Amino acid sequence: MYDVRCMRPDELEETLELIRSVFLRFESPDYSDEGTNTFLEFIEKGNIQNGINKGELKFWVCNAGSGIVGVIAMKNECHICMLFVHKNFHRQGISKRLVCEALSDVVPKTDITVNSSPYAKDFYHAVGFDDTDSLTTTNGIIYVPMKAKCAKIISMIENSYN
């Protein structure tokens, strides 16, 4: 069984390694060198620790007993800035569980935003997000800006289990 919970401070390095490896496998091939370098700089331990210390970033992890297999990070409580699941654990509902946990304390009428990678776009559509603009590139990072009400996302995920 999977344990989804807030990340403990001692799990930061393992969490960042998961993010890095999944990014390099699934996202980076679509990015320019600039985009890859921009993302890898963003997830440097010092940068992430600074965001956590300021209260701007919060992480939840999914542990499968053998270690961390999934992670979601929220920026300022209403923007999903990272959602990664180890390749061996795709299509097992981990992303949905992470999203639900991360949004569990968010006011239902709150707009949740995400800049979805092309790889994750179908997942975000399936859980209720709508595009707010077309495919965009900033500093080499390719994404589709999306938004949805927190209540809609939770409802779509709960309905997917029925």
Side-chain angles (χ1 to χ4, degrees), residues 71-116:
V71 60
I72 188 170
M74 297 288 291
K75 183 174 182 179
N76 299 323
E77 299 181 8
C78 62
H79 179 77
I80 298 172
C81 63
M82 289 182 272
L83 177 58
F84 291 94
V85 175
H86 187 283
K87 66 182 176 109
N88 294 343
F89 293 85
H90 285 188
R91 301 211 171 275
Q92 296 182 32
I94 292 171
S95 291
K96 289 178 183 177
R97 291 193 55 202
L98 285 163
V99 169
C100 282
E101 188 65 27
L103 299 183
S104 64
D105 293 329
V106 176
V107 176
K109 292 184 179 180
T110 301
D111 282 332
I112 304 300
T113 59
V114 65
N115 292 331
S116 175

Side-chain angles (χ1 to χ4, degrees), residues 7 18 29 31-32 38 52-53 55 57 91 116 152:
M7 180 188 74
L18 172 71
Y31 284 23
S32 65
T38 297
I52 292 170
N53 293 345
L57 288 175
R91 301 211 171 275
S116 175
K152 179 182 179 185

Side-chain angles (χ1 to χ4, degrees), residues 5-17 45-46 48-50 52-53 57-61 68:
R5 58 178 166 66
C6 285
M7 180 188 74
R8 296 187 314 252
D10 65 318
E11 296 173 317
L12 181 58
E13 288 185 29
E14 181 182 359
T15 299
L16 293 177
E17 181 51 38
K45 184 178 178 184
I48 296 299
Q49 190 65 62
N50 188 40
I52 292 170
N53 293 345
L57 288 175
K58 187 170 181 182
F59 286 76
W60 290 262
V61 295
I68 294 171

